[in-house]
């Protein structure tokens, strides 16, 4: 690095010491968004290529097409392998996901270590490719935040800019995973940073836009969900929508409670915890192979009305238990995707039953599936704004906003008010006796 470049970088660092340096932070946003977008695309590619080794098609989604014995053996073997790898790591190097990002954001000035990021990439890809019940968005948030934090550390940027970079990486990770840039911005500010400032919004917005652009440029993946146009048919449906929100809140509270109980066993040897999680997932998969892996193919089938009510009930119960236990035991997987699937199953159940018994008061089940997705996500993450914006961007319909907001509020109030639960990530942080952002 020559003297002119060193001088330029030194001047840039001085500008970043002030939060008012909007232009300087805007550059960070663009770079951070591109970095997070590329790393999330690489992570998704790794999952698909690894799963293809045991002939799981459809980008690592079609576990249902495997022989029945593999529905049990694959997650059990994958969990055992991960447990053996984790056994040789220090406890602080095993931490991954959104919980890790939150912890480092509020206790280590936004310094995310390279070792944990590598473990998240490799461990997360192995976990999801071997059918562990979880999502890729949590790992995407960690990888996006880590890529940005490491960039800031390499450039010796001030600590306050590391926090902005992680927020940019978080927004970029969500935007790249779902192609929902606006939801990515709000998720970063609502869940990770836990504060709203005008200066802070600008680089995060640029990061989300850059990550979405990178995804469209480098990834061949189309829309994750095939959601037909839908809207509320009548105001008479409002009580039914509130009921769906309450049920999603009850399920979210149960999910968080199971996860908390599992995380209380963190003193157990990691091999024992991971193997138990894999055995549980494999056993449940014998009844519902749809729970293996991420599960967006199952959600799409539900949106097309291809899954019977009884099967949806089994999928929702098995997905809830397998994911909550696996995440509580520390598997390098996320909970955003599973919350969408569980909420979608609940919505499909209520929508289908409504069409059968009160057709004059019930819209197409698709409406209830989408609303259930938003309500469960908002309650589990305690992120109602991110949930409502995600569902609007996914459906490309502002008309769904009113019923979705009502269900999200009902679900969140049920979880936080009736059951006195915090978000899933805050609950695990408290269980681990870490500082929790208010």
């Amino acid at each position: 690095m020559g003297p002119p470049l060193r001088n330029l970088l030194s001047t840039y660092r001085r500008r970043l010491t002030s939060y008012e340096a909007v232009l300087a932070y805007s550059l960070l946003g663009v770079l951070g968004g591109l970095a997070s977008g590329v790393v999330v695309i690489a992570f998704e590619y790794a999952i698909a290529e690894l799963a293809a080794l045991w002939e799981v098609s459809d980008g690592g989604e079609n576990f249902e097409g495997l022989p029945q014995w593999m529905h049990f053996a694959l997650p059990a073997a994958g969990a055992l392998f991960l447990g053996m790898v984790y056994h040789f790591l220090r406890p602080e190097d095993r931490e991954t996901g959104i919980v890790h990002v939150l912890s480092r954001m509020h206790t280590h000035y936004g310094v995310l270590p390279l070792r944990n990021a590598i473990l998240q990439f490799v461990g997360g890809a192995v976990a999801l490719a071997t059918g562990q019940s979880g999502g890729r968005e949590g790992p995407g948030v960690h990888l996006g935040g880590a890529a940005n934090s490491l960039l800031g550390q390499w450039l010796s940027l001030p600590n306050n800019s590391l926090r902005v970079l992680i927020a940019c990486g978080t927004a970029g990770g969500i935007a790249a995973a779902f192609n929902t840039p606006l939801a990515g911005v709000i998720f970063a500010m609502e869940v990770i940073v836990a504060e709203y400032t005008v200066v802070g919004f600008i680089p995060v917005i640029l990061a989300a836009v850059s990550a979405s652009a990178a995804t469209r440029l480098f990834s061949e993946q189309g829309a994750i969900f095939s959601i037909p146009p839908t809207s509320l048919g009548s105001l008479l449906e409002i009580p039914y929508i509130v009921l769906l929100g309450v049920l999603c809140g009850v399920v979210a509270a149960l999910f968080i409670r199971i996860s908390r109980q599992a995380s209380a066993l963190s003193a157990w040897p990691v091999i024992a915890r991971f193997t138990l999680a894999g055995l549980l997932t494999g056993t449940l998969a014998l009844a519902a192979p749809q729970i293996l892996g991420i599960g967006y193919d199952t959600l799409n089938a539900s949106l097309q009305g291809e899954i019977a009510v009884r099967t949806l009930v089994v999928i929702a119960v098995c997905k809830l238990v397998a994911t909550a236990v696996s995440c509580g035991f520390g598997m390098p997987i996320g909970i955003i995707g599973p919350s969408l699937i569980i909420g979608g199953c609940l919505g499909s159940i209520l929508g289908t039953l409504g069409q059968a018994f009160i057709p004059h008061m019930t819209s197409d089940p698709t409406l209830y599936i989408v609303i259930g997705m938003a309500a469960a996500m908002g309650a589990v993450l305690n992120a109602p704004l991110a949930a409502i914006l995600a569902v609007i961007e996914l459906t490309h319909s502002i008309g769904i906003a009113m019923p979705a907001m009502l269900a999200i509020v009902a679900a969140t109030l049920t979880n936080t008010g009736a059951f006195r639960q915090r978000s899933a990530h805050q609950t695990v942080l408290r269980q681990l006796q870490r500082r929790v952002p208010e």
Side-chain angles (χ1 to χ4, degrees):
M1 186 181 296
L5 188 57
R6 280 199 300 269
N7 293 336
L8 180 63
L9 184 56
S10 178
T11 301
Y12 183 63
R13 291 193 192 105
R14 287 196 299 273
R15 288 183 178 275
L16 290 174
T17 57
S18 171
Y19 274 116
E20 302 303 320
V22 180
L23 288 177
Y25 277 106
S26 296
L27 177 60
L28 281 185
V30 174
L31 293 176
L34 291 173
S36 57
V38 169
V39 75
V40 168
I41 292 169
F43 180 64
E44 294 176 352
Y45 180 80
I47 296 170
E49 291 300 307
L50 191 57
L53 295 178
W54 27 91
E55 299 182 350
V56 178
S57 59
D58 196 20
E61 289 273 11
N62 187 26
F63 289 93
E64 298 91 327
L66 295 176
Q68 188 176 28
W69 67 270
M70 285 195 70
H71 294 161
F72 175 83
L74 187 58
L80 175 61
F81 172 77
L82 285 172
M84 294 171 63
V85 172
Y86 271 57
H87 174 73
F88 295 101
L89 300 175
R90 298 179 301 173
E92 59 269 25
D93 294 338
R94 299 171 183 168
E95 294 184 359
T96 56
I98 295 176
V99 168
H100 173 68
V101 174
L102 285 170
S103 178
R104 302 292 296 195
M105 272 283 286
H106 297 279
T107 59
H108 293 80
Y109 304 102
V111 175
L112 297 179
L114 176 62
R115 294 185 299 273
N116 299 73
I118 293 174
L119 180 65
Q120 176 67 92
F121 190 100
V122 177
V126 170
L128 294 173
T130 57
Q132 310 308 320
S133 179
R136 65 190 178 201
E137 299 78 23
V141 167
H142 180 183
L143 293 171
N148 281 259
S149 177
L150 291 167
L151 175 64
Q153 294 172 53
W154 179 62
L155 294 174
S156 300
L157 301 183
N159 289 333
N160 62 323
S161 61
L162 288 185
R163 289 172 56 87
V164 175
L165 273 169
I166 290 178
C168 291
T170 297
I174 295 294
F178 285 124
N179 195 22
T180 54
L182 188 53
V185 171
I186 299 302
F187 179 88
M189 307 305 289
E190 190 174 27
V191 177
I192 303 299
V193 181
E195 64 181 19
Y196 298 88
T197 62
V198 174
V199 175
F201 260 118
I202 293 177
V204 174
I205 291 171
L206 288 172
V209 172
S210 301
S212 291
T215 302
R216 296 185 183 188
L217 181 63
F218 297 114
S219 176
E220 297 179 359
Q221 176 180 287
I224 296 177
F225 305 118
S226 178
I227 302 177
T230 184
S231 61
L232 182 68
S234 168
L235 293 179
L236 295 175
E237 296 181 65
I238 286 180
Y240 206 51
I241 288 170
V242 172
L243 173 62
L244 173 57
V246 171
L247 289 177
C248 287
V250 171
V251 168
L254 180 60
F255 181 97
I256 294 168
R257 185 158 296 181
I258 294 173
S259 181
R260 183 179 64 194
Q261 294 299 322
S263 65
L265 304 177
S266 59
W268 286 18
V270 67
I271 293 181
R273 284 185 281 125
F274 278 23
T275 302
L276 181 58
L279 291 173
L280 175 64
T281 300
T283 302
L284 293 172
L286 293 176
Q290 297 90 341
I291 71 170
L292 293 175
I294 301 169
Y296 287 156
D297 58 337
T298 300
L299 189 52
N300 272 317
S302 176
L303 284 163
Q304 303 306 315
E306 299 173 359
I307 304 179
V309 169
R310 182 175 298 179
T311 304
L312 288 168
V313 172
V314 175
I315 293 172
V317 172
C318 293
K319 190 73 174 177
L320 185 152
V321 174
T323 308
V325 171
S326 297
C327 289
F329 278 166
M331 280 273 192
I333 52 180
I335 63 173
I336 297 177
S339 70
L340 293 174
I341 294 165
I342 294 167
C345 287
L346 289 176
S348 184
I349 293 167
L350 260 68
T352 303
L353 293 177
Q355 283 279 290
F357 295 105
I358 46 172
H360 60 287
M361 291 178 57
T362 312
S363 297
D364 187 272
T366 301
L367 174 73
Y368 290 88
I369 294 172
V370 175
I371 290 175
M373 290 164 58
M377 174 184 169
V380 169
L381 301 179
N382 195 21
L385 287 177
I388 184 59
L389 289 173
V391 76
I392 290 174
E393 287 185 288
L394 287 171
T395 59
H396 305 288
S397 172
I398 194 67
I400 201 173
M402 187 273 282
M405 283 192 292
L406 188 60
I408 291 169
V409 169
T412 304
L413 288 178
T414 301
N415 181 48
T416 59
F419 292 96
R420 301 185 181 279
Q421 298 276 13
R422 290 176 173 267
S423 74
H425 301 116
Q426 290 176 326
T427 299
V428 172
L429 282 171
R430 282 183 171 269
Q431 187 71 42
L432 298 174
Q433 298 182 340
R434 304 288 176 79
R435 181 181 173 186
V436 180
E438 298 295 339

